[in-house]
Amino acid sequence: MEQDNQTWVHEFILLGLSSDWDTQVSLFILFLLMYLVTVLGNFLIIVLIRLDSRLHTPMYFFLTNLSLVDASYATSIVPQLLAHFLATHKAIPFLSCAAQLFFSLGLGGIEFLLLAVMAYDRYVAVCDPLRYSVIMHAGLCTRLVITSWVSGSINSLVHTAITFQLPMCTNKYIDHISCEILAVVRLACVDISSNEIVIMVSSIVLLMTPFFLVLLSYIQIISTILKIQSTEGRRKAFHTCASHLTVVTLCYGTTIFTYIQPHSSPSVLQEKLISLFYAVLMPMLNPMIYSLRNKEVKGAWHKLLGKFSVFTSKLTS
């Protein structure tokens, strides 16, 4: 009888950021512009790397995958968020919520793993440059990327299956901007301590393990850079890692703060703002960081723009 009383909801209501109409319209315009910049920026990075043979290196192969993940992650969250800004009934069907959780969680996990792979790539480039092409061969790079995608997807699939097997009873109001795992788990009308343990273990395996690998890589990189006698040599060595280090600091720092301790998690408003930072701002910033702080990418942009201007001048002449 107790089991019969545990009804399963068919849709959830996302409470979002605000119930004020004017605020929602303003946020719609802001996030729409940011989303368009995100998709366009990451798409251009992928196209640029594809077109410029000078960027056909392991580092930019990994960056292509990172840009694809960033654009996909934003797409898994932002369109739904934009639709709800202009909707009176902010519902998301049960299956759509499960799909959103799967893709957002999976793509987030893949990004952490890719950042660890990119840290290893920078470690080899700085600490063992003479054997870089031998170590970072095409086969290894492909296996590392496939492992990242498969591991993140499997982890997300397990979490999604466990989370949506929980009976939600009549709880259907998610006080969040999306179907975020902790927000959904809190709706369960049963003991969720085991789910929180699973989240904790997964966070340690999929987040902290790559984080420590990144940390170890940069300890070795910094140690090697400090041994370089010339100032110019140290500057060039550090410059090869500057973009990746900036992204790592922003990405890992934000996510560790959010997920690593469910019992002492930040307030609901803080969780929403952190999720917005990761889903909207980070995917938009990554192409800018890699473009503005990377001479090779800036050089490729100038070359591409030069070709485009020549092409347009021929059309108009």
Side-chain angles (χ1 to χ4, degrees), residues 16 59 75 114 127 131 133 136 164 191 201 214 232 253 270 310:
M59 174 183 174
T75 301
L114 283 175
C127 300
R131 295 202 305 143
S133 59
M136 300 303 296
F164 283 91
D191 180 36
V201 172
V214 170
E232 182 66 17
Q270 287 175 321
V310 171

Side-chain angles (χ1 to χ4, degrees), residues 207-238:
L207 176 59
M208 294 308 296
T209 301
F211 172 74
F212 282 118
L213 291 175
V214 170
L215 191 61
L216 289 173
S217 295
Y218 272 100
I219 289 174
Q220 292 296 321
I221 289 171
I222 293 171
S223 176
T224 300
I225 290 175
L226 292 176
K227 292 176 183 177
I228 300 174
Q229 294 183 352
S230 68
T231 303
E232 182 66 17
R234 286 196 297 268
R235 189 191 65 79
K236 286 183 177 179
F238 178 77

Side-chain angles (χ1 to χ4, degrees), residues 17 73 176-177 180 250-259 265-283:
L17 291 171
Y73 185 87
H176 211 277
I177 62 169
E180 193 265 349
L250 292 172
C251 185
Y252 276 100
T254 302
T255 310
I256 288 173
F257 179 67
T258 307
Y259 291 105
S265 58
S267 68
V268 173
L269 177 59
Q270 287 175 321
E271 285 185 356
K272 292 179 182 180
L273 294 177
I274 291 169
S275 294
L276 281 173
F277 176 82
Y278 188 66
V280 180
L281 192 60
M282 276 301 301

Side-chain angles (χ1 to χ4, degrees), residues 76-203:
S76 72
I77 302 291
V78 180
Q80 180 72 53
L81 180 65
L82 293 174
H84 280 186
F85 279 140
L86 303 182
T88 54
H89 185 58
K90 306 179 189 301
I92 179 170
F94 183 91
L95 291 179
S96 297
C97 187
Q100 186 180 65
L101 175 59
F102 169 75
F103 284 109
S104 61
L105 190 62
L107 291 165
I110 293 166
E111 177 150 1
F112 302 139
L113 294 170
L114 283 175
L115 288 173
V117 169
M118 295 173 76
Y120 176 69
D121 173 73
R122 294 299 82 202
Y123 159 75
V124 177
V126 173
C127 300
D128 199 358
L130 297 179
R131 295 202 305 143
Y132 177 77
S133 59
V134 176
I135 296 173
M136 300 303 296
H137 55 85
L140 176 62
C141 294
T142 302
R143 288 195 294 271
L144 289 172
V145 166
I146 291 175
T147 300
S148 299
W149 281 87
V150 171
S151 300
S153 299
I154 291 176
N155 173 74
S156 180
L157 181 63
V158 171
H159 271 302
T160 303
I162 292 175
T163 299
F164 283 91
Q165 284 180 351
L166 293 171
M168 305 297 177
C169 299
T170 57
N171 299 329
K172 64 177 183 178
Y173 292 93
I174 301 177
D175 194 3
H176 211 277
I177 62 169
S178 65
C179 291
E180 193 265 349
I181 186 168
L182 292 177
V184 175
V185 166
R186 293 189 189 112
L187 299 182
C189 52
V190 294
D191 180 36
I192 60 172
S193 57
S194 60
N195 293 78
E196 292 182 327
I197 292 173
V198 170
I199 294 172
M200 175 67 72
V201 172
S202 172
S203 299

Side-chain angles (χ1 to χ4, degrees), residues 285-305:
L285 288 178
N286 284 351
M288 298 179 186
I289 292 171
Y290 278 100
S291 296
L292 297 176
R293 299 182 64 91
N294 192 301
K295 288 184 178 180
E296 292 176 329
V297 174
K298 285 192 288 187
W301 278 125
H302 293 152
K303 180 181 176 182
L304 183 63
L305 291 175

